[in-house]
């Protein structure tokens, strides 16, 4: 059965907090009950003033079936994702090359919680089809969930999602002929990009959208990338964790710039 999106580019609408299921236990149980999530990167306004690149922080919210923006004032995140990386790599290397660890923790505003799973990527000096980056996704106890692979693509943008046995599960692909890949404009429509989620048989099963961070944030070049991720039907909690990891991996590969990159683009 072919995937049929209800709306190719839905207008932002807020979700009633009463319609969101927040009765989670722990760990990946939070993923198993989500039909979609909204990923919001914490903006850092000092970076836009030319200060050093800081560690990325993302908040993951449960959303409706289309992944629309939730009401942040009345709904708490289910996960907090924080980057761990060296200062020199963040400021001297492009996002597609630098090494990092991303710890995904259940959100608790008052105390630090246990890590549910973590994303680890080693430094790779990538050139065309050589030394392509790969990110490992594993539980806190060391058990492997899978891998996110960044293949060489001449035109399209995307990643491959593989299970713990390195078998292909999904491919996430987007056309390079979309505004965020061509020119940086502050209008919200020009900040959106669509990635199709395709299964191992080449059938489209869902979508990932790179969303606008807001006109003012884009105008001031604030690093704040948001995503809408709709999970495929019958996907397991492990597969949803890998899809979440793929969205974050795409942000680092295509939308993350070091201060040196920003200076070169502005010249």
């Amino acid at each position: 059965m072919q995937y049929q999106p209800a709306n190719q580019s839905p207008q932002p609408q807020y979700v009633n907090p009463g319609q969101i299921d927040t009765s989670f236990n722990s760990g990946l149980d939070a993923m198993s009950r989500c039909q979609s999530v909204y990923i919001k990167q914490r903006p850092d306004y000092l970076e836009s003033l030319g200060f050093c690149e800081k560690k990325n922080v993302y908040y993951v919210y449960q959303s409706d079936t289309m992944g629309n923006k939730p009401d942040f004032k009345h709904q708490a995140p289910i996960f907090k994702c924080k980057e761990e990386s060296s200062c020199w790599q963040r400021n001297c290397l492009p996002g597609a090359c630098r090494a990092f660890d991303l710890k995904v923790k259940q959100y608790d505003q008052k105390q630090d919680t246990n890590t549910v799973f973590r994303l680890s990527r080693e430094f790779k000096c990538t050139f065309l089809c050589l030394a392509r980056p790969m990110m490992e996704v594993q539980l806190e106890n060391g058990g492997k969930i899978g891998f996110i692979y960044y293949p060489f693509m001449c035109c399209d943008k995307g990643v491959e999602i593989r299970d713990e046995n390195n078998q292909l599960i999904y491919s996430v692909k987007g056309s390079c002929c979309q505004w965020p890949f061509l020119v940086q404009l502050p209008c919200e429509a020009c900040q959106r990009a669509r990635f199709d989620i395709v299964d191992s048989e080449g059938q489209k099963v869902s979508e990932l959208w790179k969303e606008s961070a807001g006109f003012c944030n884009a105008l001031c070049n604030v690093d704040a990338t948001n995503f809408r991720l709709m999970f495929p039907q019958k996907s397991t909690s492990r597969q949803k964790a890998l899809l979440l990891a793929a969205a974050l991996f795409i942000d680092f590969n295509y939308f993350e710039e070091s201060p040196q990159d920003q200076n070169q683009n502005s010249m």
Side-chain angles (χ1 to χ4, degrees):
M1 183 177 180
Q2 189 173 5
Y3 171 76
Q4 296 291 339
N7 195 339
Q8 292 289 342
S9 182
Q11 296 296 322
Q13 65 182 59
Y14 292 103
V15 180
N16 184 352
Q19 298 176 351
I20 300 298
D21 180 12
T22 57
S23 58
F24 304 125
N25 294 324
S26 60
L28 294 180
D29 181 50
M31 299 294 294
S32 63
R33 305 189 191 182
C34 293
Q35 294 180 309
S36 63
V37 292
Y38 190 92
I39 306 167
K40 185 178 188 296
Q41 183 179 359
R42 185 178 69 185
D44 197 314
Y45 299 102
L46 292 179
E47 290 183 10
S48 62
L49 299 177
F51 291 88
C52 65
E53 175 81 13
K54 294 190 176 181
K55 300 175 182 178
N56 287 355
V57 177
Y58 305 86
Y59 296 97
V60 182
Y61 295 81
Q62 187 184 7
S63 185
D64 61 4
T65 55
M66 289 301 298
N68 289 308
K69 184 188 297 183
D71 188 344
F72 301 123
K73 294 182 179 180
H74 299 93
Q75 183 180 334
I78 55 176
F79 291 126
K80 178 181 179 181
C81 315
K82 185 175 181 180
E83 174 190 0
E84 296 294 338
S85 59
S86 63
C87 181
W88 78 268
Q89 290 201 43
R90 289 196 308 273
N91 290 276
C92 299
L93 297 178
C97 294
R98 77 189 195 212
F100 64 84
D101 283 341
L102 262 175
K103 293 184 177 181
V104 181
K105 299 186 175 184
Q106 281 196 281
Y107 179 78
D108 192 318
Q109 190 175 12
K110 298 181 179 179
Q111 62 182 359
D112 191 27
T113 57
N114 294 328
T115 300
V116 179
F117 58 96
R118 61 191 304 165
L119 325 175
S120 301
R121 185 179 72 175
E122 298 179 351
F123 164 76
K124 286 289 185 70
C125 186
T126 301
F127 178 73
L128 297 179
C129 59
L130 303 177
R132 302 305 302 176
M134 178 179 288
M135 183 173 68
E136 183 176 352
V137 185
Q138 58 184 0
L139 298 170
E140 183 59 18
N141 60 12
K144 291 182 180 179
I145 299 178
F147 304 90
I148 312 298
Y149 178 64
Y150 182 17
F152 174 70
M153 296 181 178
C154 294
C155 298
D156 291 338
K157 310 289 186 180
V159 297
E160 293 180 355
I161 301 174
R162 299 177 177 270
D163 62 14
E164 66 273 17
N165 298 317
N166 206 23
Q167 298 297 314
L168 180 66
I169 306 175
Y170 299 113
S171 296
V172 184
K173 299 179 180 180
S175 171
C176 63
C177 298
Q178 300 186 75
W179 283 113
F181 301 122
L182 301 175
V183 62
Q184 295 184 357
L185 297 175
C187 59
E188 294 193 5
C190 298
Q191 298 179 53
R192 292 194 180 101
R194 191 191 75 191
F195 296 85
D196 294 333
I197 301 174
V198 182
D199 63 17
S200 58
E201 298 179 353
Q203 190 77 23
K204 180 178 175 180
V205 292
S206 193
E207 292 177 351
L208 168 69
W209 282 80
K210 187 257 183 190
E211 282 296 320
S212 167
F215 180 85
C216 294
N217 283 337
L219 188 65
C220 298
N221 199 27
V222 176
D223 184 15
T225 309
N226 301 330
F227 289 96
R228 291 190 299 113
L229 172 59
M230 287 74 75
F231 295 122
Q233 294 183 0
K234 299 182 180 180
S235 56
T236 66
S237 57
R238 284 174 170 254
Q239 292 173 348
K240 291 178 180 180
L242 289 172
L243 286 164
L244 172 60
L248 299 177
F249 199 41
I250 284 174
D251 182 39
F252 275 91
N253 289 336
Y254 297 117
F255 306 112
E256 185 72 14
E257 292 183 334
S258 68
Q260 291 185 357
D261 294 331
Q262 294 176 0
N263 293 334
Q264 292 176 0
N265 293 336
S266 61
M267 293 178 62

